[in-house]
Amino acid sequence: MSSTVSDFVIDRLIEWDLHQFYGFPGDGIGGFDGALERAESDGKDFRYIRPTHEEIAALLACGHAKFTGEVGVCIATSGPGAVHLLNGLYDAKMDNQPVVAIVGQQGRVSLGSDTQQEMDLERVFEDVAGYVQTVTTPMQAQMVVDRAVRIAAAERCPTVVILPADIQNLKMAEPAVQHWVSRTGVGHGSTRLTPPDAELERAAEVLNSGTKVAMMVGQGARGATDEVIAVAEKLGAGVVTALLGKDVVPGDLPYHTQQLGLLGSKPSYDMMQDCDTLLMVGTNYPYAEFLPKTGQARGVQIDLSSRHLSLRYPMEVNLAGDAKATLTALLPLLKQTEDLTWQQQAVAGMKEWNEVTEREAAVEADPVNPRRVYHALNERLPANAIVTADAGSTADWYGHHIKLGRDMSGNLSGMLATMLAAMPYALAAKFAHPDRPVVCTIGDGAFQMLGMNELITVKRHWREWKDPRFIVLVLHNGDLTQVSWEMREVGDPRYDTSQLVEDMDYAAYGELLGLRGIKVDKPDEVESAWDQAFAADRPVVLDVHTDPNVPPLPAHISFDEARGFVTTLLKGDPDESAVVRNSARAMAAQLFAKAKDAVTGDDRPAR
């Protein structure tokens, strides 16, 4: 038995096969911090990494879960340190990722006295955590830790263990055989659940009857790539991936039409508009307006979480089960489709779409078209690369231009869509896979939030990495671009006071930290800059001055959306001329002309 409660918690996490901890110290967790030092000195099998902020620690833990499939662990002190974890824990909750947070608390005797930094932490974490519990006696610690890890893994959610300061250094006690004492053990239950045969047969009947089958695949299908492809081949289906599931299906699969919606492709949109059958696998895709109209398609959905079933579209058959196990059981029941007209239509549409995105990347901009930056990156990605994107316009360019090969990985903050997550995600990926090249793509607004702080963490650790390639692409445009375009969409001009980002030299900042800084402010420098970055012997800050007025808009922009933009421009958007120029180049100018006619009554031909 470990000597103190804190020693025990560390040993127990290791026994649960958790070996990477992200945390930030403080007196509220001081006893646990001391135990970490003892454990490290004793050579115990774990690693403690201290980023620059508790929010980053929680996002690192979420990123670790996404890039490894393991439970992520984050540690913070009481009071403000605990509160700082919330954004990362909500990211884990909303993207269904297992994370355990170890959080300090004021001493038990002080609770209820309004002492300094005292908070009702169980109440604070009640909404975000699938399980939150304060350890009140040494004998209770085993049960609390075991339940926290087991629930996080089984229910794919964050859980929280609260350690009061006066508990942390108490002598650990073996759980006794007595009333009220739970004696728990280590070990995960399998989640390879398969629906009953009768439900699988019903699903097969629906899918076999379809002639235009569309598959929507998400992160819940990770590990089931071969099964997804086998089902698509049998049904002659086209495959759309949710943004979080982008790396589940190889980008070079001809009938993989990439994403759907605001940052999706035209073939994906057309597929959903025309399909007669919809199969959703491991996705809680939130934008239901892009799914088929009610009654248009018969539906089957597979998800490990029953709460996601029939949520976005009224499904005929709901299969609660693991994606890989369920698809494996379903495959023998599916009939081989001989007519591949529908699938070939997706292939042809994707071929055209690739030509469109290539042309859009070649459009002139002031100074650099961000699409060109991503197009050039896509052509140079190493076979085992990991790419992260942020929640702003980088997600649009990532969705439109990046195609991930079978051995590549990619991710971003999905349902929460928090800014700055690209940087801690990239770091978590690098710590988990130090032999793989990692590319973080982030806007200057998100980079200034907390992202640039983490270059200090890169400075501290990069020499430990087997492959030093860690590239931070900063889209340097001086604007909170995504929000600016969202303002235009609803008919408001961009508001400079809120939208402008302070200018600074990011490449020079990277050099200041001993990293490589590369500045790009001319279009013809883009490709060589990527080549230099991938050839560098150390991490690189790629500071690319991009045009904020290149529209990150869907290929199927609606008439109402176009009218919103025109209304905005008539109100006096600060960048009106650039917006009009770039929009006309990148999208259908006639649509804008029609929208302007509707707003102004002007029937003159568009220039």
Side-chain angles (χ1 to χ4, degrees):
M1 179 60 62
S2 305
S3 58
T4 71
V5 171
S6 294
D7 295 325
F8 170 80
V9 172
I10 294 166
D11 290 342
R12 199 67 165 184
L13 292 173
I14 294 170
E15 192 175 352
W16 273 102
D17 202 24
L18 305 179
H19 308 281
Q20 190 93 319
F21 309 156
Y22 298 101
F24 202 92
D27 63 342
I29 195 71
F32 192 81
D33 292 337
L36 286 168
E37 191 278 330
R38 291 193 298 273
E40 186 177 287
S41 297
D42 290 343
K44 292 185 178 177
D45 187 14
F46 79 100
R47 188 173 189 205
Y48 176 79
I49 294 172
R50 196 218 71 207
T52 61
H53 195 281
E54 292 94 349
E55 181 178 347
I56 298 294
L59 288 166
L60 281 162
C62 182
H64 179 85
K66 286 187 172 186
F67 286 112
T68 66
E70 302 169 354
V71 176
V73 179
C74 57
I75 303 162
T77 189
S78 57
V83 171
H84 284 158
L85 292 177
L86 282 171
N87 196 50
L89 295 183
Y90 270 107
D91 190 44
K93 175 185 178 177
M94 297 178 72
D95 280 355
N96 306 113
Q97 296 303 313
V99 171
V100 173
I102 309 295
V103 181
Q105 174 61 294
Q106 303 308 91
R108 291 168 297 170
V109 70
S110 73
L111 299 180
S113 70
D114 290 339
T115 193
Q116 186 183 38
Q117 295 190 342
E118 180 197 351
M119 295 178 183
D120 186 345
L121 291 181
E122 290 193 3
R123 192 170 183 179
V124 167
F125 290 111
E126 181 180 18
D127 180 62
V128 73
Y131 174 78
V132 53
Q133 186 61 52
T134 302
V135 177
T136 57
T137 72
M139 198 178 293
Q140 185 194 14
Q142 177 177 301
M143 179 273 292
V144 173
V145 172
D146 286 350
R147 289 208 76 199
V149 179
R150 185 173 285 112
I151 290 171
E155 299 182 10
R156 301 195 63 79
C157 66
T159 59
V160 180
V161 175
I162 301 171
L163 292 177
D166 57 343
I167 279 283
Q168 294 167 28
N169 284 325
L170 289 183
K171 184 177 180 181
M172 185 57 191
E174 182 81 33
V177 183
Q178 63 185 44
H179 190 51
W180 290 329
V181 177
S182 291
R183 290 167 287 143
T184 56
V186 170
H188 297 290
S190 173
T191 57
R192 295 289 186 187
L193 306 177
T194 308
D197 290 346
E199 294 182 11
L200 291 168
E201 290 167 1
R202 286 178 55 223
E205 183 278 320
V206 171
L207 296 172
N208 286 330
S209 68
T211 59
K212 300 178 179 179
V213 182
M215 294 179 67
M216 181 78 180
V217 179
Q219 64 171 346
R222 189 162 281 114
T225 298
D226 291 338
E227 289 75 16
V228 167
I229 294 173
V231 168
E233 294 282 352
K234 267 206 167 183
L235 297 175
V239 178
V240 177
T241 48
L243 198 58
L244 290 178
K246 187 178 182 73
D247 59 354
V248 172
V249 179
D252 59 359
L253 192 71
Y255 50 83
H256 175 196
T257 59
Q258 297 293 314
Q259 282 69 68
L260 173 70
L262 297 176
L263 36 67
S265 73
K266 184 70 162 53
S268 292
Y269 179 78
D270 291 342
M271 193 189 306
M272 289 297 165
Q273 294 301 301
D274 298 337
C275 69
D276 63 16
T277 309
L278 175 63
L279 171 59
M280 295 180 71
V281 184
T283 179
N284 186 28
Y285 178 76
Y287 300 107
E289 66 269 29
F290 294 108
L291 296 177
K293 295 179 178 63
T294 301
Q296 170 191 319
R298 301 180 74 182
V300 174
Q301 186 172 0
I302 301 169
D303 206 291
L304 192 58
S305 174
S306 293
R307 68 189 299 163
H308 293 161
L309 293 172
S310 208
L311 178 62
R312 310 298 181 189
Y313 186 83
M315 294 295 174
E316 190 169 335
V317 182
N318 296 286
L319 301 176
D322 168 75
K324 185 179 180 71
T326 302
L327 292 175
T328 299
L330 187 60
L331 266 166
L333 305 177
L334 300 178
K335 297 177 182 177
Q336 181 62 56
T337 300
E338 301 300 330
D339 183 359
L340 297 180
T341 304
W342 169 253
Q343 192 177 77
Q344 290 167 353
Q345 183 177 320
V347 173
M350 202 58 197
K351 183 177 179 181
E352 292 179 7
W353 174 253
N354 289 335
E355 294 172 355
V356 167
T357 56
E358 185 170 0
R359 287 198 303 270
E360 288 183 337
V363 168
E364 292 182 6
D366 182 19
V368 177
N369 184 340
R371 290 182 178 274
R372 177 169 180 169
V373 181
Y374 280 74
H375 183 76
L377 169 61
N378 187 64
E379 292 182 329
R380 288 162 172 77
L381 280 175
N384 61 341
I386 300 173
V387 183
T388 67
D390 214 73
S393 60
T394 64
D396 295 275
W397 316 136
Y398 171 79
H400 282 171
H401 294 276
I402 299 298
K403 294 182 176 62
L404 299 170
R406 181 178 278 267
D407 296 322
M408 297 179 192
S409 301
N411 226 303
L412 75 170
S413 175
M415 294 292 275
L416 183 62
T418 180
M419 289 176 68
L420 77 85
M423 190 65 175
Y425 273 24
L427 269 170
K430 194 65 176 181
F431 284 125
H433 305 287
D435 58 337
R436 295 175 64 179
V438 173
V439 180
C440 167
T441 70
I442 190 167
D444 49 4
F447 195 57
Q448 286 188 15
M449 285 180 100
L450 280 177
M452 63 191 300
N453 289 20
E454 286 315 295
L455 280 186
I456 299 171
T457 306
V458 173
K459 174 183 182 293
R460 184 177 186 179
H461 291 286
W462 74 266
R463 290 176 178 82
E464 306 163 5
W465 299 332
K466 183 175 180 180
D467 185 330
R469 289 178 293 178
F470 184 92
I471 303 170
V472 181
L473 164 65
V474 182
L475 295 187
H476 185 161
N477 59 26
D479 182 60
L480 298 176
T481 311
Q482 190 79 354
V483 179
S484 292
W485 281 99
E486 288 166 348
M487 293 172 75
R488 290 167 178 142
E489 182 180 342
V490 298
D492 291 323
R494 198 195 72 195
Y495 179 37
D496 277 355
T497 304
S498 73
Q499 297 309 107
L500 293 180
V501 175
E502 187 67 23
D503 187 49
M504 69 168 290
D505 191 334
Y506 302 107
Y509 177 60
E511 294 279 352
L512 179 67
L513 296 175
L515 311 178
R516 176 82 187 277
I518 301 175
K519 178 182 176 180
V520 176
D521 56 11
K522 297 180 178 63
D524 58 5
E525 297 172 343
V526 170
E527 288 76 13
S528 64
W530 278 120
D531 292 337
Q532 292 174 58
F534 280 114
D537 63 352
R538 63 192 59 212
V540 173
V541 177
L542 193 55
D543 181 357
V544 185
H545 292 244
T546 56
D547 189 340
N549 295 312
V550 174
L553 300 172
H556 49 275
I557 179 172
S558 70
F559 177 79
D560 288 339
E561 288 170 323
R563 183 165 56 184
F565 291 125
V566 173
T567 302
T568 296
L569 300 181
L570 293 175
K571 290 180 180 178
D573 189 290
D575 286 320
E576 175 179 348
S577 60
V579 169
V580 171
R581 183 172 63 251
N582 286 313
S583 298
R585 286 170 174 168
M587 297 181 299
Q590 284 186 337
L591 189 56
F592 273 82
K594 288 181 181 178
K596 186 174 181 181
D597 293 347
V599 174
T600 66
D602 187 352
D603 58 1
R604 291 173 298 174
R607 288 180 291 176

